[in-house]
Amino acid sequence: MTTRQNVLHDLIQQISQGTYAKGTLLPGENELADRYGTSRNTIRKVLSDLVQRGLIQKINGKGSMVIEQQQFVFPLSNIVSYKEIVAEQHLDNETQLVSLTEKKLPVAVFNELDADLQSVDVHAMVSVHLVNAKPVIIDHEYVFTSVVPTLSQHVAEDSVYEYFEDELGLKIAYARKEISAEYASAEDQQLLGLTPQQMVVVVKSVTYLEDTTPFECTESRHRADMFKFRDFARRL
Amino acid sequence: MTTRQNVLHDLIQQISQGTYAKGTLLPGENELADRYGTSRNTIRKVLSDLVQRGLIQKINGKGSMVIEQQQFVFPLSNIVSYKEIVAEQHLDNETQLVSLTEKKLPVAVFNELDADLQSVDVHAMVSVHLVNAKPVIIDHEYVFTSVVPTLSQHVAEDSVYEYFEDELGLKIAYARKEISAEYASAEDQQLLGLTPQQMVVVVKSVTYLEDTTPFECTESRHRADMFKFRDFARRL
DNA sequence: CAGTGGTCTAGACCACCAC
DNA sequence: TGGTGGTCTAGACCACTGG
């Protein structure tokens, strides 16, 4: 059966491949409905999805214009610095797990993001991201044990999100983030090789599941000269 | 006639007023459809709008839970620092127009945000935001003269966006933003009272109209200790 | 004028959740 | 089991754009 997800993925692929190039118009909604054998409403839902992703812009009376071909890599944390800069500039990169322990969530740190957070048991991971053998990010990650009972060192060293979504079937829905700048802490100075006068960019986040349960908090501290964040926002 | 916008504004208001409090469920979709005398599809469109805004989260089989009561003030530039911090902490604030001239757009500055930008004529505004008489932000704003022919000093000192939307009828659709950190430039040092060793947080943006025309670029440079950015992101 | 997107309806069937 | 949201349809009318 041709369903919404199929049409969506197909259009995304065609846009990223340039079949529908940036600056051109997609086929009309009726045309698409015919092609995919669905109703126009279904097509409209798909297009509204593409609008949300920042790939197209609808223009009344004209059509749907492609305004961006790239898919954002990180839906929840569009930090360009690490993955993208590394990929774009062909740099070596590595992640080192510093520690993995059980703690209470340091609630105060995330107060401004979610005042309702309770002090709960968490897996506390600290890791360092290296680019060209130079440490650029310190990651503090707190995963709620009530949602993720066990977190092995092996998993922590790999992609944690794949484990959450694919293995555990967690459905991640949304996140709140905050970006600010601070002078380097003692730990920053030690792990990133900074002086007390230098600054780090701090990204805090709280991530929630579909049932609105928070399940993970992160605090990542970036070398200021290696930080870049991109965003796409629509007028509401 | 009861239309989508009416229902939307009504629900937003009821949420912000606490009629539907954070952590509670909205009435069901059928219930809402009955109450407002619309079809369920219309209600669903409205709810999906609230989801986008980060006000509710839909939970299958249960209902639509309110997860946030506040409306974000700045749909396009959620910089908490200036307006919100000022409001929250009851600080004095003031904006000073430094200069208003006609130039060519410094394309290179915005290259990474939009590679297709052309060098065009712009109104170049420089302004400084003061909090408690202390300068905290330098704003460089470039407004395309092709879209906004005239920009008086009087308007520039007031709210520029109101002028664009209400007076000129411009329909602002979306924006691309980038946040990074740099050492203070000569101008930063002078206007913000910084030393060359101190850093500023730089926010660049390009704003587009509904017909995908870019019409404004901004570069705002923030004292690092007064910068804070909040974001709400959904899993795509 | 014909084509495009914007809005809306009335009804259908499904998966999920709670009792 | 009954209520909730998720998906989809077929058709209607409107406002806007372009030639």
Side-chain angles (χ1 to χ4, degrees):
Chain A
M1 186 53 195
T2 313
T3 174
R4 231 180 62 198
Q5 288 301 315
N6 300 333
V7 181
L8 178 64
H9 291 139
D10 191 50
L11 286 180
I12 289 180
Q13 188 167 356
Q14 303 224 42
I15 288 173
S16 70
Q17 286 176 347
T19 308
Y20 300 125
K22 192 170 168 175
T24 66
L25 295 172
L26 294 184
E29 296 182 346
N30 288 303
E31 168 73 17
L32 287 172
D34 282 350
R35 276 198 211 175
Y36 288 105
T38 69
S39 77
R40 189 180 154 220
N41 264 337
T42 301
I43 294 297
R44 282 183 60 73
K45 187 78 180 69
V46 171
L47 293 186
S48 118
D49 218 322
L50 296 178
V51 168
Q52 259 190 266
R53 290 167 189 252
L55 293 180
I56 67 172
Q57 168 70 12
K58 304 190 116 193
I59 309 176
N60 206 322
K62 291 183 72 174
S64 302
M65 179 164 291
V66 179
I67 60 174
E68 183 60 69
Q69 298 191 201
Q70 310 158 17
Q71 260 294 58
F72 281 107
V73 195
F74 284 130
L76 285 185
S77 68
N78 334 352
I79 311 301
V80 187
S81 59
Y82 184 52
K83 294 266 180 182
E84 257 192 58
I85 289 185
V86 162
E88 281 173 8
Q89 305 181 8
H90 310 295
L91 305 172
D92 288 329
N93 74 95
E94 186 190 349
T95 302
Q96 285 179 356
L97 184 61
V98 176
S99 66
L100 174 57
T101 60
E102 313 248 328
K103 284 193 187 177
K104 291 287 182 184
L105 177 68
V107 183
V109 178
F110 301 100
N111 241 343
E112 288 192 6
L113 276 177
D114 187 340
D116 299 330
L117 279 180
Q118 305 292 324
S119 176
V120 293
D121 292 307
V122 292
H123 304 285
M125 297 172 42
V126 180
S127 53
V128 174
H129 297 278
L130 307 157
V131 172
N132 281 351
K134 182 172 129 186
V136 296
I137 307 174
I138 305 178
D139 247 324
H140 295 261
E141 186 167 353
Y142 307 100
V143 183
F144 291 27
T145 57
S146 52
V147 179
V148 181
T150 64
L151 191 58
S152 70
Q153 181 163 339
H154 176 263
V155 167
E157 283 170 339
D158 274 1
S159 169
V160 214
Y161 268 65
E162 278 177 23
Y163 174 63
F164 294 158
E165 298 199 286
D166 299 344
E167 301 285 323
L168 300 182
L170 295 184
K171 289 174 184 170
I172 298 171
Y174 59 98
R176 296 202 176 90
K177 282 178 297 184
E178 184 181 278
I179 301 178
S180 60
E182 297 177 11
Y183 283 102
S185 69
E187 188 190 50
D188 298 334
Q189 296 167 37
Q190 181 198 334
L191 292 178
L192 297 182
L194 300 175
T195 66
Q197 291 74 38
Q198 288 185 290
M199 301 201 78
V200 293
V201 177
V202 181
V203 180
K204 297 179 185 180
S205 73
V206 183
T207 311
Y208 302 81
L209 301 176
E210 278 190 347
D211 64 358
T212 76
T213 314
F215 89 104
E216 183 210 40
C217 299
T218 67
E219 178 186 13
S220 46
R221 308 177 65 89
H222 303 243
R223 278 187 68 103
D225 54 357
M226 285 295 286
F227 176 84
K228 195 167 287 185
F229 172 86
R230 277 200 206 121
D231 199 16
F232 176 86
R234 292 204 158 270
R235 190 67 154 162
L236 300 179
Chain B
M1 185 54 192
T2 313
T3 175
R4 232 181 59 200
Q5 289 301 316
N6 301 331
V7 182
L8 178 64
H9 290 138
D10 192 50
L11 286 180
I12 289 180
Q13 188 167 356
Q14 304 225 39
I15 288 173
S16 69
Q17 285 176 348
T19 309
Y20 300 125
K22 191 169 169 178
T24 66
L25 295 173
L26 293 184
E29 297 182 346
N30 288 303
E31 167 74 16
L32 288 173
D34 282 350
R35 274 197 213 176
Y36 288 105
T38 69
S39 77
R40 190 179 153 221
N41 263 336
T42 301
I43 294 298
R44 282 183 60 72
K45 187 77 180 66
V46 171
L47 293 185
S48 119
D49 217 322
L50 295 178
V51 167
Q52 258 190 266
R53 290 167 188 252
L55 293 181
I56 68 173
Q57 168 69 13
K58 304 190 119 195
I59 309 175
N60 206 321
K62 291 183 69 176
S64 301
M65 178 165 291
V66 179
I67 59 175
E68 183 62 66
Q69 297 190 202
Q70 309 158 17
Q71 258 294 59
F72 281 107
V73 195
F74 283 130
L76 285 184
S77 67
N78 332 351
I79 310 301
V80 187
S81 60
Y82 184 53
K83 294 265 181 184
E84 261 192 55
I85 288 186
V86 162
E88 281 173 9
Q89 304 181 7
H90 310 292
L91 304 172
D92 287 330
N93 74 93
E94 186 190 348
T95 301
Q96 285 180 355
L97 183 62
V98 176
S99 66
L100 173 58
T101 59
E102 312 249 327
K103 285 193 187 177
K104 290 288 182 184
L105 177 69
V107 184
V109 178
F110 302 100
N111 241 342
E112 290 192 4
L113 276 178
D114 187 340
D116 299 331
L117 278 180
Q118 304 291 325
S119 177
V120 293
D121 291 308
V122 292
H123 304 283
M125 297 170 42
V126 180
S127 52
V128 175
H129 297 279
L130 307 159
V131 172
N132 280 352
K134 184 171 127 184
V136 295
I137 308 174
I138 305 178
D139 246 324
H140 294 260
E141 184 167 355
Y142 307 100
V143 183
F144 291 28
T145 56
S146 52
V147 179
V148 181
T150 63
L151 191 58
S152 71
Q153 182 164 338
H154 176 264
V155 167
E157 285 169 340
D158 275 2
S159 169
V160 214
Y161 268 65
E162 279 176 22
Y163 174 63
F164 294 160
E165 298 199 285
D166 301 343
E167 301 285 323
L168 300 181
L170 295 184
K171 290 175 184 171
I172 299 171
Y174 59 97
R176 296 202 175 90
K177 281 178 297 183
E178 185 180 277
I179 301 177
S180 60
E182 297 177 12
Y183 283 101
S185 69
E187 189 190 48
D188 298 334
Q189 297 167 37
Q190 181 198 331
L191 292 178
L192 297 182
L194 300 175
T195 66
Q197 290 75 38
Q198 289 185 289
M199 303 199 79
V200 292
V201 177
V202 181
V203 180
K204 298 179 185 180
S205 73
V206 183
T207 311
Y208 302 82
L209 300 175
E210 277 189 346
D211 64 357
T212 76
T213 314
F215 88 102
E216 182 210 41
C217 299
T218 68
E219 178 186 12
S220 45
R221 307 176 68 87
H222 303 244
R223 278 188 69 102
D225 55 356
M226 285 294 286
F227 177 83
K228 195 167 286 183
F229 172 85
R230 276 200 207 121
D231 199 16
F232 176 86
R234 294 205 157 268
R235 190 68 153 161
L236 299 179

